[in-house]
Every structure is written in structure tokens, then in C-alpha cells.
Amino acid sequence: IKSCTCQSWPCVPTSLQSCSQAVFEMIELIQFPWSPFCLVQRHILRYSGVPFKITNLKLTNDRSLIWKLTKERYYGVPIVRDGRNVVFETDDYSQVVAKYLDQKLKLALFPPELEGEQSILWRYIEDEVEARTFKLNDIYFRDFVVRADQLPFIRHKERKFGRGCIDQWAASQQILQAELAERLLPFEEMLTYRPFLLGDRPRFVDFELLGMLDNFLYTGHYRLPRNRPQIAKWHRRIGQLEIKNAK
């Protein structure tokens, strides 16, 4: 939790209120709408049933809003603004945002008895599944990035993954899809015996996987692998779920 009006830092929440001086307003998710990690948080908020606000950023290298809100400590997405609290990740696997929402909204996404299993699973999802889904989605970036932002998008990708990376992913599209189906096999096996990944109700890793797959499906050019029917059923089930129906 990264910003509040308390005099001491950091402020560690002990209840639904993250600090005694918090201002409670509609939660705001600041995002890129196609980002897999933003999709995770959006699905969690939708599942909670609480009203929330979405602010979509442009890609023209203007992260000034995030830079300002995080007091020059972060420039990535997603971030959540909740009154005077601004929440963002502290490392690649921190899950600060999801844990904040979970505690505030009482979603039971991180039960202590599942801590180890979830930690293993979300690392696998982010390392093995997302590594394929974002590339497959980015092949069609012109479908979701406005023309004025396409050059910054390409520049950002090539600085991180090398010159011509998107063309390389397009050339390897079938291979990437086959790899994705293979990486999804453990989840297919898990869902053969239970409605959600770790039991009878969704936990954080369900929304983590959902975000990665919805990034893959974002442009409408793909379908879930035919040889993963349990995942397809789970995807339909969790996509229609709200917490009032999950208890």
C-alpha cells in the first residue's frame, strides 16, 4: 500500500480501513484495457460487486498521472486509487493490488491455508502462460492501439524484446498457440475434478489465469484451445460469477 495521509510510513492496514484518515470513495482502476495484469484486477473488482471507476491511459509515453499519484515511485500499471490511498506493486510477484482489494472487500481470495499453492501457481501463470498470451495478443496490436500510439507501442516492445519482435511472434504464431495449450494442461487436469482451480470457490489464481486468457482473447482473433474443454467451461463459469453467487 503506497500512499495515505498518515504521518508515518509505511501505513499497514489492520482492518478494512487502510488508515484512520482514509477517504472512502469509489475505487478507481488506472489501466491499459488490454493489459493482462489490469484485466486481473478488473475481474476481481467485477466479482466483488462494488461500483468502481476505470481510467484508461494513452500510450504516448505519458505516465505523468501514475508518476504523480505514486509520488514518483512507480510508472507501471495497474494502480488502484482508493480515496487517498494509491496502491501498486512492489516487485514482479508481490500481488499488492490484489491483496489490498481482497482485504478491503472481504473476498477471501488469499486464505492462509492456500498461501503456498497459490504462490507456486501464480508464478507459473505469469512465467509460462502470460509469456505466450501477451505475444499472441500483441501480434494484432493495431486492432486495439490507436494509430497515434502505434509507434510508441512498437518502440516500447522493441526496447524490451528486441528489434522486429512483433514480426517474429507473428511468424511463430502457431508454435506459440501450441505452447500455450501445453502450458494449460495442468489447469485442465485440476478443473476436471473441481469447479475452480483450488476448490469449490474462486481464489486469486483463478482471476490471475482469467486475466491472462482474456488478454489472449482480447482482439477476437483466437479461441481457447479445443483440447482444453474444462478450461472453456471454467472460463464461462467464472466470467459470469459475482461474490454473492459464490458463497
Side-chain angles (χ1 to χ4, degrees):
I1 298 168
K2 284 298 176 184
S3 182
C4 73
T5 57
C6 292
Q7 297 301 312
S8 60
W9 173 254
C11 169
V12 179
T14 57
S15 68
L16 288 184
Q17 291 186 343
S18 57
C19 71
S20 61
Q21 302 176 33
V23 174
F24 293 98
E25 300 172 355
M26 186 180 292
I27 294 173
E28 179 183 8
L29 175 65
I30 300 171
Q31 64 158 18
F32 293 131
W34 60 85
S35 162
F37 299 102
C38 296
L39 283 163
V40 172
Q41 310 308 327
R42 195 158 80 234
H43 282 307
I44 289 173
L45 285 164
R46 178 196 52 76
Y47 170 68
S48 77
V50 303
F52 64 97
K53 175 184 177 182
I54 290 176
T55 297
N56 291 325
L57 298 173
K58 295 182 178 180
L59 275 176
T60 49
N61 294 325
D62 183 4
R63 304 294 182 96
S64 58
L65 174 61
I66 295 177
W67 197 238
K68 177 182 178 180
L69 291 176
T70 63
K71 298 183 178 179
E72 302 183 357
R73 287 172 290 179
Y74 194 69
Y75 55 83
V77 291
I79 69 170
V80 161
R81 178 160 57 176
D82 179 24
R84 291 177 181 156
N85 290 335
V86 175
V87 189
F88 56 91
E89 303 300 340
T90 56
D91 62 51
D92 289 343
Y93 302 111
S94 63
Q95 312 304 352
V96 171
V97 176
K99 289 179 178 179
Y100 177 89
L101 295 175
D102 179 55
Q103 182 177 11
K104 179 180 177 66
L105 303 173
K106 292 186 175 181
L107 303 178
L109 300 182
F110 294 92
E113 67 272 17
L114 296 178
E115 184 175 348
E117 291 96 322
Q118 291 217 93
S119 181
I120 292 168
L121 285 173
W122 81 53
R123 283 166 169 79
Y124 178 87
I125 291 168
E126 294 185 8
D127 290 343
E128 298 297 328
V129 177
E130 194 266 345
R132 277 82 188 170
T133 57
F134 91 84
K135 293 175 183 177
L136 288 162
N137 180 64
D138 285 355
I139 291 169
Y140 297 102
F141 73 95
R142 290 181 178 84
D143 289 3
F144 56 88
V145 178
V146 299
R147 188 175 183 84
D149 282 338
Q150 289 177 7
L151 176 57
F153 184 90
I154 295 171
R155 182 173 180 268
H156 168 73
K157 293 295 177 178
E158 292 193 345
R159 290 184 68 180
K160 188 171 183 179
F161 300 106
R163 187 172 181 180
C165 59
I166 296 177
D167 290 337
Q168 294 170 18
W169 299 337
S172 303
Q173 189 172 17
Q174 292 185 349
I175 295 173
L176 289 169
Q177 287 183 269
E179 290 178 351
L180 175 60
E182 190 273 331
R183 297 313 193 275
L184 291 175
L185 178 59
F187 304 109
E188 178 74 12
E189 294 171 337
M190 295 166 75
L191 291 166
T192 300
Y193 300 101
R194 49 201 174 204
F196 300 101
L197 293 178
L198 294 175
D200 293 333
R201 61 173 297 161
R203 304 298 184 180
F204 169 70
V205 291
D206 288 279
F207 294 102
E208 180 86 335
L209 181 60
L210 181 63
M212 306 307 137
L213 293 180
D214 279 359
N215 168 249
F216 167 64
L217 299 171
Y218 189 81
T219 62
H221 288 278
Y222 303 107
R223 296 292 181 268
L224 293 172
R226 292 182 179 179
N227 59 350
R228 300 291 177 257
Q230 298 304 324
I231 289 178
K233 293 176 184 178
W234 162 88
H235 187 266
R236 290 193 295 270
R237 183 163 53 246
I238 195 170
Q240 299 172 354
L241 195 63
E242 288 187 7
I243 192 168
K244 62 184 179 183
N245 299 319
K247 293 181 179 179

